Amino acid sequence: MSAESEKELQKKDDSDLITLLQQGSEPAFVILMRRYKEPIINFVYRFVGNYDDAIDIAQDTFVRLHKYSATYTGDVKFTTWLYTIATNLAKTELAKSWRKHTVAFSKLSKEDEDGIEWEVADESYTPDARVDSSMIAKRVQTALMKISPSYREVVVLRDIQQLSYEEIAEITTLEIGTVKSRINRGRAQLQEQLQTLYQEMFEA
Amino acid sequence: MTTLFHNDNSESSFGGLQALGKVPVPDSFESAVRVKTMLTSLPVTPVPSGFEQAVLKQIGKQASHPFKKYFYYGAAALITTAALWYGLTSHNNQTNTVAPQVQTAVPQSSSQQPVQSVQQTTPKEKVVSTEKKNTTHKSLQKNSTQQPEKTKPNNDAVRGGEIPKHMLDED
C-alpha cells in the first residue's frame, strides 16, 4: 500500500472502508484494523482479564471481520458490529476457561491417590503485569474480574469504552433498561470491591 | 376579576419551579463517581508488536485453504523426486563408505578371533545395517525403474505422513 493511497483511505469513514473491504480491498481492511485494534484489545483485556487471551481474541475478531465482512449489512454501526464479534468471542473464551478451572479445582489435590504431586502453576508472574504496571490499575482490574461477567461486560463497554446505552444494548442484545440496571449493579459490586482502595486513596 | 398570579410576587406565591423540590442525590453517587473515575483512568492496553502481521498471516492461511489439495499434490511430487534423488545419491555414498568398513572389519576377524569378533563387534552391526539400507535402496530403485507412479513414498506423502516441516510452515 503506497503512502498516498493509505492517506486517502485513512480519511474515509468506517462505512466506506467496510464497503471497500466487501469489494475486496485489503488495504481497507488494514486501515480498519489499525483504527480499532487498540480499543478492541483494551475492551477484551478488561473483560477477560488475561493479556495473552485478549490478544488472541482480538486477533480472531479481526480475522472474523475479514472473513464475514460480506455479511455486514449496515443496519448497525460498524463499531457495534465489531464489538459484537469481540464480545461473543470473549464470552466463549471465558466459558472455556471457567470450565477448565472448574475441572482443574474439582480434581486437583496436592497429592493424588498414587502419591504423585501435582504441579501448580506459578502465578507470581503474569503477562498482565505488562499492562497494569501501577498498583491502582492492578487492583481495579482485579476488582473488575471479581464482579459477575454479565455486569462486567456492560460496565467495561460503558465506563471504559465509552459506548452509548443504545450501542451496548445492540451489542449485548439486551433492552436498554436491562443494560442500565446491569451497569448500576456492576458499579455497585465494583464499589464494594474497591472500598479499601477508596479509603486508602481518598481518605488518607 | 381574580387573577391567577399576583403581580408583585407571582412565582413565590404559586410555588412555580421552586415547588418542584430538590432531586434526591443517591447515597451511592460519590462512590459511583469514584468508580467511573478509576475505570476511565485505567491505562490503555498496549498492542503487541506484530499484531497486524499475525492477523494477516491467519487470514492468509484461511484464504489458501481451497488450494491445499494442489499444495499436497505438489508436496507429494516433490517428496517423490527427493526420495529418488536421495536413493541414488545415498547409494553412491554407501558404496564409498561401506567399503572401508568391510576392509577394516575383515582383517581383525581373520587374524585374531575369527568367530567371536564377527559375532560381537560393532563393525559387523554396521555392515548389517548398511546392507539393510542397500536393500531398501534397491527396492526403491526397482520401483522407480518399473512403476514410478506407484512408489510408496508418493502415497505416503499424499496421506500427509512425510511432508517436510518447512513445506507445511509455508501453508
Side-chain angles (χ1 to χ4, degrees):
Chain A
M1 181 165 39
S2 70
E4 284 180 18
S5 63
E6 191 178 338
K7 276 184 183 175
E8 285 299 311
L9 282 173
Q10 277 173 346
K11 287 176 191 169
K12 293 186 183 296
D13 63 12
D14 297 345
S15 58
D16 289 340
L17 287 172
I18 190 77
T19 308
L20 285 170
L21 174 60
Q22 286 171 336
Q23 291 164 358
S25 168
E26 295 299 323
F29 170 74
V30 175
I31 297 294
L32 280 172
M33 179 166 60
R34 284 183 188 159
R35 199 174 279 179
Y36 290 106
K37 63 183 179 182
E38 199 171 86
I40 290 294
I41 289 174
N42 196 45
F43 160 65
V44 178
Y45 171 67
R46 296 299 168 202
F47 185 41
V48 299
N50 179 291
Y51 185 65
D52 288 337
D53 287 347
I55 298 301
D56 280 346
I57 293 164
Q59 283 175 355
D60 286 348
T61 303
F62 287 106
V63 170
R64 288 196 181 203
L65 158 66
H66 187 275
K67 193 175 177 182
Y68 299 110
S69 60
T71 63
Y72 176 73
T73 54
D75 294 342
V76 292
K77 268 175 75 179
F78 169 73
T79 47
T80 306
W81 188 63
L82 191 63
Y83 271 109
T84 308
I85 298 172
T87 306
N88 289 338
L89 287 170
K91 279 179 183 173
T92 310
E93 183 59 36
L94 269 184
K96 258 194 252 174
S97 62
W98 183 80
R99 275 198 297 269
K100 223 185 284 176
H101 281 227
T102 310
V103 170
F105 286 113
S106 62
K107 288 187 176 177
L108 194 72
S109 60
K110 189 68 183 172
E111 204 167 302
D112 75 353
E113 289 172 0
D114 300 327
I116 299 167
E117 197 169 312
W118 288 86
E119 201 170 313
V120 181
D122 177 17
E123 293 184 351
S124 57
Y125 168 76
T126 59
D128 309 337
R130 287 172 289 186
V131 186
D132 295 326
S133 54
S134 80
M135 186 55 73
I136 294 170
K138 270 183 204 168
R139 287 173 72 172
V140 174
Q141 180 63 34
T142 307
L144 261 177
M145 295 311 295
K146 283 181 182 171
I147 69 171
S148 162
S150 56
Y151 296 159
R152 184 166 68 239
E153 176 189 14
V154 290
V155 167
V156 171
L157 285 171
R158 178 68 188 161
D159 289 341
I160 299 178
Q161 301 302 112
Q162 311 282 329
L163 297 188
S164 68
Y165 289 116
E166 288 78 10
E167 283 175 303
I168 298 169
E170 280 173 347
I171 291 165
T172 55
T173 62
L174 295 169
E175 296 293 323
I176 288 185
T178 314
V179 169
K180 285 180 179 174
S181 68
R182 281 193 186 185
I183 288 171
N184 284 332
R185 286 177 193 172
R187 282 179 190 153
Q189 284 191 4
L190 211 50
Q191 284 166 28
E192 286 173 21
Q193 295 294 332
L194 293 170
Q195 202 60 44
T196 50
L197 184 61
Y198 293 151
Q199 285 166 359
E200 288 169 23
M201 283 180 66
F202 297 105
E203 291 163 22
Chain B
M1 185 178 168
T2 54
T3 54
L4 194 58
F5 302 112
H6 291 287
N7 289 331
D8 53 352
N9 198 8
S10 59
E11 273 191 20
S12 61
S13 61
F14 179 67
L17 293 174
Q18 287 178 1
L20 289 173
K22 284 183 181 175
V23 177
V25 179
D27 295 337
S28 61
F29 181 79
E30 282 185 22
S31 54
V33 171
R34 286 171 187 168
V35 168
K36 278 189 180 183
T37 311
M38 283 192 170
L39 289 175
T40 50
S41 66
L42 279 174
V44 176
T45 313
V47 180
S49 61
F51 178 84
E52 289 176 23
Q53 286 85 347
V55 172
L56 294 173
K57 202 175 172 186
Q58 266 184 281
I59 291 167
K61 270 185 190 176
Q62 291 185 357
S64 66
H65 188 71
F67 300 105
K68 269 189 176 175
K69 187 170 67 178
Y70 301 107
F71 164 76
Y72 280 118
Y73 287 154
L78 275 171
I79 287 162
T80 309
T81 49
L84 288 171
W85 178 80
Y86 174 76
L88 288 169
T89 52
S90 65
H91 176 249
N92 290 334
N93 290 336
Q94 280 169 8
T95 48
N96 291 336
T97 54
V98 167
Q101 285 177 348
V102 173
Q103 280 173 358
T104 52
V106 168
Q108 282 179 359
S109 61
S110 60
S111 62
Q112 293 170 359
Q113 294 175 340
V115 180
Q116 284 180 351
S117 64
V118 170
Q119 287 175 347
Q120 291 175 0
T121 52
T122 50
K124 198 206 170 194
E125 289 169 7
K126 282 181 184 174
V127 171
V128 170
S129 64
T130 49
E131 278 173 358
K132 276 183 183 175
K133 280 181 185 173
N134 283 334
T135 53
T136 52
H137 159 65
K138 277 176 190 171
S139 65
L140 268 177
Q141 260 195 330
K142 201 176 179 182
N143 286 335
S144 66
T145 50
Q146 290 174 353
Q147 294 173 332
E149 69 279 5
K150 288 184 180 179
T151 52
K152 278 184 180 177
N154 190 1
N155 291 334
D156 289 343
V158 172
R159 288 188 202 108
E162 294 183 11
I163 296 171
K165 209 174 180 181
H166 71 275
M167 294 175 77
L168 286 171
D169 288 341
E170 285 175 6
D171 182 20

